[in-house]
Amino acid sequence: MYLRTSQHQLLIKANPKNPKNPRMPSKNRDNRISGVQPLSRSKSFCLGYMNELGSRIGSKCRYAPEFCTKYDDRNHMRFEHILSSPMIDLNKLKQLAWNGIPDCCRLMTWQILSGILTIFPAQHGEILIKKRDEYNKFISTYFQNRNSTSNSATIRQICIDIPRTFPLVPIFQNDSIQSMYQRILYIWAIRHPASSYVQGINDLIGPILFSALFPYFGSDVLTSDPSTLDGQTLLDVEVNCFWLLTKLLDNIIDNYTPDQPGIQTKIRKVRRLVEMFDSNQF
């Protein structure tokens, strides 16, 4: 999933005046790449494509291309070059994403690498509509029954944890975002009874939410007011967050099941590695 944004990084993004902000580009960086022209505000593919895609799935809000201009560097141009192809080279995208993804390209890149979207952009609109319809069914099937006796413990724990999620970042204390969190976490928990909801899963949504909202607010997303977006757009953001969270957890679900076998396996691997290089520790 290449999901690397930590809580520390989110707090830095919430305070852009911090001189140690790692997202600020170097002024002396070489922007030239063979075969790829430097980007201009009117030529940013990622957000231009997302605007077109949004129109096809009925989104009323528009992405602002200027959010990409400060990332007109070598890495960003490489992403634009790959993602603008009629058939995306998945191996090249994986290799490029390993060292980090520009904010404005991250949502689309994650959706492709996770398997939510195919390598054929022409199919993306239809796929996203299906994903949205499927999620709407989950809301009516699962979330409407959240107060039933059998699920009361799950929804209660979720409601306790949501206000604790990045408490120093304004957007996570927004009512609409907290309602979104409640639906995402509860529906995921009910659909995965082997682990259900576990504390810590709520934190995983943070970087995903940032990437899903970035096209609308840019680097100000963490201090923005989501109520300025229409209901359909907020639903699309929620759908993107739910499916990306689901794909992420599919790969690490054994870290959350009883006895946490995934974590135990990793601990044994670390132990063997330490024994290999420093046997005196044992």
Side-chain angles (χ1 to χ4, degrees), residues 149-169:
T149 304
S150 59
N151 301 322
S152 59
T154 300
I155 192 65
R156 182 169 59 251
Q157 187 60 56
I158 289 173
C159 290
I160 291 173
D161 288 347
I162 288 175
R164 300 173 178 173
T165 306
F166 306 115
L168 301 180
V169 182

Side-chain angles (χ1 to χ4, degrees), residues 49-50 53 56-57 83 88 90 93 105-131 240 243-244 247:
Y49 170 77
M50 296 299 281
L53 188 60
R56 284 155 57 189
I57 66 175
L83 294 174
I88 296 168
L90 195 58
L93 185 60
C105 298
R106 188 175 295 123
L107 177 62
M108 183 179 179
T109 301
W110 278 354
Q111 288 175 321
I112 293 170
L113 293 179
S114 65
I116 295 173
L117 297 179
T118 69
I119 60 173
F120 301 102
Q123 300 175 350
H124 290 178
E126 182 181 355
I127 292 171
L128 291 176
I129 290 174
K130 289 181 179 178
K131 292 294 184 183
N240 288 332
W243 288 113
L244 280 170
K247 287 292 185 178

Side-chain angles (χ1 to χ4, degrees), residues 170-216:
I171 194 170
F172 292 100
Q173 306 309 310
N174 180 276
D175 290 341
S176 60
I177 295 300
Q178 292 193 351
S179 296
M180 183 186 299
Y181 257 71
Q182 187 180 124
R183 288 188 293 271
I184 291 172
L185 292 172
Y186 181 78
I187 292 172
W188 185 90
I190 296 303
R191 296 187 71 245
H192 296 81
S195 65
S196 189
Y197 172 73
V198 179
Q199 286 179 295
I201 293 179
N202 54 310
D203 292 322
L204 298 178
I205 304 178
I208 300 174
L209 179 66
F210 175 89
S211 299
L213 285 173
F214 180 87
Y216 303 104

